[in-house]
Amino acid sequence: MDLDLDLTGRRALVVGSPAVARLAIARLLHSGATVFLTPPAPASESALAADPAVHMLAQPRTRAAWRELLSAVDLVILIELPRSVEATLRAAARDQRVWIVREAPAATAPIGHVTLVGAGPGDEGMLTLAGRAALRQADVVFFDRLAPQQHGRESAPGAEWVDVGKTPGHHAVPQDEIERRMVDAALSGRTVVRLKGGDPFVFGRGGEELAACRAAGVPVTVLSGVTSAIAVPAAAGIPVTHREVSRMFTVVSGHAPLSDDTVAHLVGLGGTIVVLMGVGTLPHLTAALARHGMPSDMPLAVIERGLTPGQRTTITTVGESTEITARLGVRSPAVLVIGEVVRLCADDDAALREVAALATGR
Ligand code: SAH
C-alpha cells in the first residue's frame, strides 16, 4: 500500500496471517483506520496474535460471502491468499467496487536482515523511495542524530525506534555497541533498518556496519542516500561543479586537521573543496591552504543546518573566514565549500553576504 490516503474513520480489511500483516496493520491503525483481519487459518492457530485493536474475521468461502464482507469495508490490503481464493476475492471486489491494494508480506525468516539506509541531510524529503520502502518493512530502526525521521516514522509506526545518536546522558552509543545491537536484532529474526544521516558510506561508518553484519552472517543491503556534501551546497545555490569553473570536487573530513601534504595536493588540484565536520578545524585548514599558495580571496561558503528551516549561509574568503565565522558563532553541523563555484551562490543569499560583510564592519 503506497497511497497517501486519509484513512481516518475508514474500514480496511487486511487479508493475511497476523505475522505477515503486522506492519500493514500498524500503519493502518496509525492512520486512523478501523482494521479487520481475515487470516487464512483460524486466529487461534496463528503463531502471533494481531494487535488487540484489530477485528478478527473468519475467511469467507464463497464469492457471495466475500461480497457481503466487502460491502462493509472501504479498502482491502491483500497480503497473502492462495491464487484460487484470490480470484474469488477480486471478483467480489469488482462487484462491490472496492479497492484492493497488494502488499509484500513482512519477513518471518528465522534470521532477519539489516538495511543500511541513507536518510539524506536536514529535510525528511531527502529520504529516497527505496529507503522509505525499507522502513515500511522494518521491525526495528536504529537512527542517528543527523538523520531526519518524520516521514520514516510515519512509514514505520509499528517499528521500534531506537536513538543511537544520543543516550539520556548525551553520549552517543559507542560504534561497536550499535553494531552489536543491530546484529543481535537481525539474528533474532527481526527486520532491521539502520537509518543514517546523508549517505551511509560518506563519513558515516557504514562500511564498518556492513562488515559487522557480514562477519555475523547477517544478510545486509545498502541503500545510498543523498549526501550533505552535494545537497547542502546545492541548497545554498552552490553547484559543486560548473562548466568552465570547476571540473572536480574533493570531499574531505575536517574531523582531524589535514596533513600539510594533503593540503598541498588539494591546492594543486585546483578544484572545489568540500569539507564535512570542518567547523572546528577551519582556522587550521585555511591557514594551511594559504601557506600552500591558495589566494586569500578565494571564496569560501559555510552552510549551517542545511535543508532545515534554520539553514544559514555565510559567504566569505579563505583569508577572512576564521574571523567571520567566529563573529557569527558558526556551529556544526555545517558544510564548507572552498572554490570559485561559491561565486555562483544563489542571489537569494545576497542578504546573507551582507550580513557577513556587516559582521566584519565593512
Ligand atoms: N554521511 C553524512 C555525513 C556524516 S559526517 C552525509 O553523507 O551527509 C557529519 C557531517 O555532515 C556534519 O559535521 C556536517 O559537516 C555534514 N552534515 C550533515 N547534515 C548536515 C546538514 N543538514 N547541514 C550541514 N551539514 C550537514
Side-chain angles (χ1 to χ4, degrees), residues 83-316:
R83 283 222 169 272
S84 55
V85 188
E86 180 175 336
T88 313
L89 164 63
R90 288 196 179 273
R94 265 195 310 277
D95 296 344
Q96 293 297 340
R97 302 179 62 84
V98 172
W99 290 95
I100 297 190
V101 183
R102 183 178 266 293
E103 174 158 332
T108 50
I111 286 197
H113 181 274
V114 172
T115 310
L116 305 181
V117 176
D123 186 278
E124 309 126 30
M126 293 286 122
L127 180 66
T128 65
L129 292 174
R132 194 165 169 180
L135 281 166
R136 291 156 58 89
Q137 294 297 318
D139 291 305
V140 54
V141 181
F142 295 101
F143 66 94
D144 273 346
R145 188 173 58 95
L146 285 179
Q149 320 144 21
Q150 178 73 31
H151 275 328
R153 285 203 187 237
E154 282 166 12
S155 304
E160 181 190 352
W161 283 74
V162 184
D163 183 352
V164 290
K166 268 186 190 172
T167 58
H170 298 292
H171 290 110
V173 176
Q175 183 64 26
D176 53 357
E177 170 76 10
I178 295 174
E179 289 164 15
R180 193 185 58 70
R181 287 168 72 174
M182 255 171 41
V183 164
D184 284 356
L187 288 177
S188 67
R190 301 175 88 193
T191 303
V192 180
V193 163
R194 173 75 174 106
L195 188 64
K196 303 173 73 67
D199 182 276
F201 282 176
V202 178
F203 307 135
R205 306 194 74 171
E208 292 160 58
E209 293 171 10
L210 181 80
C213 291
R214 287 192 175 145
V218 168
V220 54
T221 315
V222 183
L223 296 179
S224 298
V226 174
T227 179
S228 63
I230 299 171
V232 167
I238 302 171
V240 289
T241 69
H242 192 76
R243 221 162 84 87
E244 290 170 5
V245 177
S246 170
R247 53 193 296 175
M248 72 182 85
F249 62 100
T250 310
V251 182
V252 297
S253 162
H255 182 62
L258 297 177
S259 71
D260 253 25
D261 220 25
T262 306
V263 175
H265 283 104
L266 280 174
V267 174
L269 281 171
T272 306
I273 304 168
V274 178
V275 190
L276 303 192
M277 299 179 280
V279 174
T281 53
L282 175 71
H284 179 276
L285 175 66
T286 49
L289 288 169
R291 251 195 337 274
H292 288 280
M294 183 173 276
S296 65
D297 63 354
M298 180 64 81
L300 183 152
V302 186
I303 308 112
E304 299 166 81
R305 302 176 293 278
L307 291 145
T308 73
Q311 175 174 322
R312 174 171 73 165
T313 306
T314 306
I315 305 291
T316 170

